[in-house]
Amino acid sequence: MIDRPGLADFLRRRRQLLRPTDIGLPEGVRRRTPGLRRDEVAQLANISTDYYARLEQCRGANPSQAIVASLARALRCDPDERDHLYHLAGFSAPLRYSGGYVRPGVMSLLDRLGDIPACVVSDLGEMLWQNDVAAITLGWTTRSDSHRSTNIVWRWFTEPDLRNCFPEEDWPKHSLAHVNDLRATSARRGGDADVADLVAGLLEKSEEFRDLWAHHEVAVHRFDRKRFLHREVGVLHLTCEALLSPEADTKVLAFFPTEGTDAREKIALLRTIGTQGFHPYPHSHA
């Protein structure tokens, strides 16, 4: 529901904070009030001055999402201010995209998790970063000679060797989870070129993907129990928690030792010995 008094106050305060030079206009003569004039904001937003004035006076028709977007641009709102403007106007804020950027603070935090393998992946399954414990235990290393070498979903359906770090009886479950996750991403931002390109490539390359994609099942996986196969220590039972970023296009995957198993002791052994000479799963080309 629209918050008319809040919307009016926010528009007025944002307008008063801007200077003519912020929008490429000369300072000109001295102004009676600080900031931009209403007609200047209206012109930048491509709406009438009268309509904009009514918004600041808590009157008139409710603004559409397109008008709210134009006002956010006209008022030079940063992402947080833009989201707030949408909420005041009664709309859900548009999704933000990180563009694959992982903040240094996130990497520093995950590096301090000790015996917890953790990584950051995009909503398309691209491995953006992993801590040392993940590199030792999970086997999700990349191949420089492979197309989309950092994309776990692509490699799962096009490079059979990647599956060797999981028991074969678990493969159908993982295939379905990858497809359902990608379905959710496609529904959320299917018009984006990177989404369309990945889906088209998988439809072309993988019969299994085509069959599962045709089922039109969708689910964002935030919790799972997984079994990893490691050549040196055998089966690792890990519980995966997925923490979504504010932008919703990246997530942290943290793999905790499953209670009642020996995963914690096995990870401790791997950390003690280190990565030298290790092959996380058979037939690895990484």
Side-chain angles (χ1 to χ4, degrees):
M1 181 179 297
I2 187 172
D3 178 357
R4 282 194 170 276
L7 177 62
D9 184 63
F10 182 76
L11 292 174
R12 185 168 52 252
R13 291 179 182 276
R14 281 300 306 160
R15 176 173 61 83
Q16 292 172 350
L17 287 173
L18 291 175
R19 307 302 306 170
T21 52
D22 294 331
I23 61 171
L25 296 176
E27 283 285 356
V29 297
R30 184 176 179 182
R31 297 177 176 231
R32 290 180 299 174
T33 57
L36 300 181
R37 297 191 298 264
R38 286 175 176 170
D39 64 302
E40 291 170 334
V41 174
Q43 183 177 2
L44 289 169
N46 199 29
I47 58 178
S48 72
T49 302
D50 182 60
Y51 179 74
Y52 178 77
R54 291 199 300 271
L55 289 177
E56 284 200 4
Q57 295 164 356
C58 300
R59 301 187 296 114
N62 293 354
S64 66
Q65 290 193 58
I67 288 178
V68 173
S70 295
L71 288 170
R73 290 191 296 268
L75 294 169
R76 302 299 192 264
C77 293
D78 65 23
D80 292 332
E81 292 164 339
R82 181 206 62 177
D83 291 355
H84 184 60
L85 180 57
Y86 269 85
H87 290 309
L88 291 173
F91 300 113
S92 297
L95 292 174
R96 302 187 193 181
Y97 299 119
S98 68
Y101 174 73
V102 182
R103 297 193 306 274
V106 173
M107 292 186 283
S108 180
L109 172 65
L110 300 184
D111 261 337
R112 287 166 170 74
L113 289 182
D115 62 350
I116 306 300
C119 57
V120 183
V121 299
S122 76
D123 59 354
L124 293 181
E126 296 161 328
M127 175 69 73
L128 303 175
W129 184 86
Q130 59 182 332
N131 63 11
D132 290 340
V133 191
I136 294 171
T137 60
L138 303 184
W140 286 346
T141 49
T142 62
R143 293 176 55 182
S144 59
D145 62 339
S146 172
H147 179 53
R148 295 190 178 96
S149 63
T150 62
N151 192 296
I152 300 168
V153 179
W154 175 265
R155 293 181 62 201
W156 179 264
F157 288 103
T158 64
E159 298 180 18
D161 283 354
L162 181 67
R163 301 190 178 200
N164 290 327
C165 62
F166 295 98
E168 186 172 356
E169 58 268 30
D170 294 351
W171 292 358
K173 178 185 75 169
H174 292 302
S175 294
L176 185 60
H178 285 314
V179 173
N180 291 355
D181 256 330
L182 187 54
R183 263 292 182 190
T185 299
S186 180
R188 188 173 66 251
R189 59 183 191 94
D192 293 351
D194 56 345
V195 181
D197 183 58
L198 177 60
V199 172
L202 287 168
L203 289 171
E204 177 185 355
K205 295 288 186 180
S206 171
E207 181 179 357
E208 180 188 15
F209 181 85
R210 287 195 298 271
D211 291 342
L212 291 173
W213 189 257
H215 294 165
H216 210 115
E217 296 182 22
V218 58
V220 176
H221 285 76
R222 297 178 175 86
F223 171 86
D224 199 4
R225 297 191 188 278
K226 298 178 182 288
R227 295 187 298 168
F228 289 85
L229 297 181
H230 198 291
R231 170 174 291 184
E232 313 299 338
V233 297
V235 180
L236 282 168
H237 295 263
L238 301 177
T239 298
C240 177
E241 290 280 355
L243 310 175
L244 296 179
S245 71
E247 294 80 11
D249 66 331
T250 59
K251 55 188 173 184
V252 171
L253 301 181
F255 297 86
F256 299 91
T258 300
E259 293 183 4
T261 73
D262 58 358
R264 188 177 301 278
E265 290 76 13
K266 288 180 177 178
I267 292 176
L269 174 62
L270 292 174
R271 290 183 64 212
T272 300
I273 299 175
T275 59
Q276 191 173 36
F278 273 92
H279 301 282
Y281 54 92
H283 314 302
S284 171
H285 295 282

